[in-house]
Amino acid sequence: ATTEIYTLSLHDAFPIYNTEVTIMAFTAQDVKTLRERTGCGMMDCKKALTQADGDMEKAIDVLREQGLAKAAKKASRIAAEGVAFAYTNDDSTAGVALEVNAETDFVAKNADFQGFVKTVAETVMAEKPATVEELLTKTAVGTEMTVADLLQEKIQTIGENIIIRRFERYEGVVATYIHAGGKIGVLVEAATDNNSDAVKEALKNVAMQIAALNPKYVSTSDVPDDYKAHEKEILMAQAKNDEKNANKPENIIEKMIEGRLNKELKEVCLLEQEYVKAENKETVAKYLEAVSKEVGSTVTLKRFVRFETGEGLEKKNEDFAAEVAAQMNA
């Protein structure tokens, strides 16, 4: 099925007619996908896709503007198998996070596949490639093969397509956290002259926070202006579509939108989030201040990366019995 728009003129085939017929810019599968990602009804999803000319992300915005999206956070739901992996060197001065995808969960749990993932991570650590393309040209650690050749060997022996999707490598004082056996991998880096066990434990706690609450930025000062503008447009549309705001002055609505935006930014900015392990509802920033005081050195969070396996990818629609049979035949 196509996702492009075609406009057919009946006048070309039948000159007596002067009518144009527009084929929808989306398929039934697109409607189903949008429904799964937002939790909205089938007809609402169809209308949103029509309004967005078949653009999935624009359709999600349409539903959010109308206040119909029941679970906007589902917009990045997991849709593929594989492993998110993260590890540091012995003294925690460098770390790697990466995602490697496979076709089924069976392979993701396979020891040979997991060994390949670790080899790839070790190669990233040692060779410091800038891109996946460059990584593929490097000699895999512990072998005489390039990563590309090793990848092809694993595809042949395991029997599934395998893709090295993405990776990050940090240097500094780093810590990692892997959740649920590889569903989520997190790498964090801090600026500090203290590499004690207390600092490493604090950074691991922050990595767990990132895995749990999925922040997008370190702090509000890191949020791009276009992101703020986009979210403000969504909130404004929601407010105007709410009948309770029909008679409110524009300046009141504007203040209300600013308040909602600030609240939303606190949810997506790590340092402004409520620290999940705190008993007194302190923020992550306050937690790191307390740690800095405890160790006698300033601990400043510089950056982080969070890889969730299959995030944003389409998952093959196969029934379980067929998947088992495929694995047995392989």
Side-chain angles (χ1 to χ4, degrees):
T2 183
T3 57
E4 297 181 3
I5 302 176
Y6 295 92
T7 301
L8 307 179
S9 176
L10 295 183
H11 180 72
D12 294 337
F14 305 99
I16 61 173
Y17 296 105
N18 190 24
T19 305
E20 288 187 344
V21 178
T22 300
I23 299 176
M24 289 296 182
F26 54 89
T27 65
Q29 180 60 43
D30 293 329
V31 177
K32 180 176 181 291
T33 299
L34 183 59
R35 185 182 186 188
E36 291 174 347
R37 292 179 65 178
T38 63
C40 295
M42 195 70 74
M43 289 307 298
D44 290 327
C45 290
K46 185 176 179 180
K47 290 177 182 178
L49 281 166
T50 300
Q51 187 174 336
D53 292 332
D55 187 301
M56 186 68 66
E57 301 305 320
K58 289 182 180 178
I60 291 174
D61 284 346
V62 168
L63 291 169
R64 290 183 63 197
E65 290 172 359
Q66 296 173 351
L68 295 175
K70 299 175 183 177
K73 291 183 180 179
K74 287 186 179 180
S76 60
R77 70 187 283 167
I78 296 172
E81 304 299 340
V83 167
F85 184 71
Y87 94 113
T88 69
N89 59 5
D90 292 339
D91 59 1
S92 296
T93 57
V96 170
L98 78 160
E99 178 186 357
V100 180
N101 298 120
E103 294 181 44
T104 66
D105 188 47
F106 290 101
V107 165
K109 296 176 181 177
N110 179 285
D112 196 17
F113 174 79
Q114 293 180 351
F116 169 71
V117 172
K118 189 173 188 298
T119 296
V120 173
E122 290 173 344
T123 305
V124 173
M125 179 72 81
E127 299 293 336
K128 306 179 184 180
T131 65
V132 172
E133 290 73 23
E134 183 182 349
L135 168 63
L136 293 172
T137 69
K138 302 296 184 181
T139 300
V141 168
T143 78
E144 295 182 354
M145 305 170 65
T146 65
V147 173
D149 289 339
L150 183 60
L151 172 62
Q152 290 305 312
E153 179 187 87
K154 295 304 176 185
I155 291 173
Q156 292 173 7
T157 57
I158 292 175
E160 284 193 10
N161 189 27
I162 300 170
I163 297 173
I164 302 171
R165 185 184 182 194
R166 51 186 176 172
F167 66 83
E168 289 286 346
R169 184 186 185 281
Y170 292 168
E171 289 189 3
V173 179
V174 299
T176 61
Y177 173 69
I178 299 174
H179 179 71
K183 288 300 181 184
I184 299 172
V186 178
L187 172 65
V188 299
E189 178 191 349
T192 180
D193 58 5
N194 189 314
N195 199 12
S196 64
D197 289 342
V199 171
K200 293 175 185 176
E201 181 182 359
L203 293 182
K204 184 174 182 179
N205 287 337
V206 171
M208 293 174 68
Q209 169 95 15
I210 294 166
L213 297 187
N214 193 15
K216 305 300 181 186
Y217 306 97
V218 173
S219 67
T220 51
S221 61
D222 298 318
V223 181
D225 290 338
D226 57 351
Y227 178 91
K228 295 178 183 178
H230 177 73
E231 291 303 305
K232 190 173 182 179
E233 287 179 7
I234 298 293
L235 293 170
M236 182 63 75
Q238 289 177 351
K240 290 184 176 179
N241 285 330
D242 190 339
E243 294 181 357
K244 293 185 294 184
N245 299 324
N247 298 320
K248 290 182 180 178
E250 192 73 23
N251 65 319
I252 297 299
I253 294 178
E254 185 71 26
K255 290 181 179 179
M256 183 173 64
I257 295 305
E258 288 294 336
R260 290 181 181 177
L261 179 61
N262 290 334
K263 182 180 179 180
E264 181 180 311
L265 291 179
K266 288 182 179 180
E267 293 177 354
V268 300
C269 295
L270 176 60
L271 293 179
E272 280 76 34
Q273 287 182 344
E274 183 178 315
Y275 178 47
V276 292
K277 295 182 72 173
E279 297 180 357
N280 57 357
K281 296 185 177 182
E282 68 179 1
T283 64
V284 173
K286 290 295 184 182
Y287 168 65
L288 290 178
E289 285 179 13
V291 172
S292 298
K293 185 176 181 180
E294 176 187 339
V295 301
S297 300
T298 301
V299 180
T300 304
L301 193 70
K302 288 183 62 177
R303 54 181 175 168
F304 68 86
V305 63
R306 178 188 188 274
F307 289 153
E308 187 165 349
T309 305
E311 185 174 23
L313 298 177
E314 282 296 325
K315 186 175 183 179
K316 291 195 302 182
N317 188 18
E318 294 181 342
D319 62 74
F320 182 72
E323 190 172 303
V324 172
Q327 286 298 311
M328 293 179 66
N329 291 333

